[in-house]
Amino acid sequence: MRNEAEVNRALKLYADTVRRICFMYLKNDTDVEDVFQEVFLKYLLHPSSFESDAHEKAWLIRVSINACRDVLKSFFRKKVRSIEEIDVEPFYIQEQDKELLDAVLRLPPKYRNVIYLFYYEGYTAVEIAGILKKSENTVYTWLDRGRKELKKQLGGEWIGE
């Protein structure tokens, strides 16, 4: 179990990353907060130490993705609908980034993940391959296809290439 100082340091460094990943999957602030707490609880209880800060961040990203997927495939999520579907934007999305983020969120999950990790988190394709447990060539292919899809969605105006 980790001490309070370690958890506070991790929260300071990685809270935004975990929230953005969760929102990318769940698109719901309430679910994002639930998964956020679950991820950092797992971090608190994780028995082993990490090789480096990069390893720690990659572990948190992987746990976040897995926790989001668990929420998305849960029985409750599949069978229950809220009375009111409220479209509330999270506080951390800048207005000028909204169109691009909306386009990224409409991508198929495999493209969305690699685009997000590459452009928003600054990971290389090799690092993404390790995080997602895919081959480097698969990541390069998904990046290329994701870029083309974004370009098509944004009318050929995407500058991320």
Side-chain angles (χ1 to χ4, degrees):
M1 192 157 119
R2 303 192 184 291
N3 63 36
E4 186 177 348
E6 288 178 300
V7 174
N8 287 335
R9 183 192 63 78
L11 279 167
K12 185 177 179 183
L13 291 174
Y14 308 120
D16 288 341
T17 299
V18 170
R19 275 198 178 96
R20 286 191 305 259
I21 288 169
C22 292
F23 186 76
M24 187 174 67
Y25 274 88
L26 303 172
K27 301 171 185 75
N28 174 322
D29 285 329
T30 306
D31 289 339
V32 167
E33 287 306 314
D34 288 345
V35 171
F36 177 84
Q37 290 177 18
E38 181 182 333
V39 167
F40 280 98
L41 179 61
K42 286 180 181 179
Y43 175 81
L44 173 71
L45 300 174
H46 186 67
S48 14
S49 59
F50 297 100
E51 298 167 7
S52 64
D53 286 346
H55 179 233
E56 180 179 50
K57 185 177 181 181
W59 184 89
L60 283 164
I61 288 171
R62 185 77 250 160
V63 169
S64 299
I65 290 170
N66 289 341
C68 290
R69 286 180 176 169
D70 289 345
V71 168
L72 290 173
K73 66 183 178 185
S74 73
F75 176 80
F76 182 81
R77 178 97 177 192
K78 288 180 182 178
K79 300 296 181 187
V80 176
R81 298 283 177 215
S82 66
I83 295 173
E84 295 178 44
E85 299 267 338
I86 301 174
D87 186 23
V88 178
E89 293 296 326
F91 65 91
Y92 45 82
I93 294 179
Q94 303 286 330
E95 188 59 39
Q96 65 269 21
D97 298 332
K98 186 175 179 343
E99 182 182 3
L100 178 58
L101 181 61
D102 287 342
V104 170
L105 292 174
R106 286 191 303 268
L107 291 173
K110 59 187 176 185
Y111 303 152
R112 180 175 58 220
N113 290 340
V114 295
I115 292 288
Y116 175 79
L117 292 172
F118 188 81
Y119 289 104
Y120 288 85
E121 295 300 327
Y123 280 101
T124 65
V126 174
E127 293 168 326
I128 295 169
I131 291 170
L132 299 179
K133 296 184 175 121
K134 300 292 181 188
S135 75
E136 290 176 40
N137 288 335
T138 299
V139 171
Y140 283 120
T141 300
W142 288 353
L143 273 171
D144 184 56
R145 291 177 184 169
R147 288 179 188 128
K148 287 176 182 173
E149 182 62 31
L150 280 173
K151 192 172 183 177
K152 187 169 41 169
Q153 285 184 28
L154 297 172
E157 298 178 14
W158 190 56
I159 57 171
E161 297 181 65

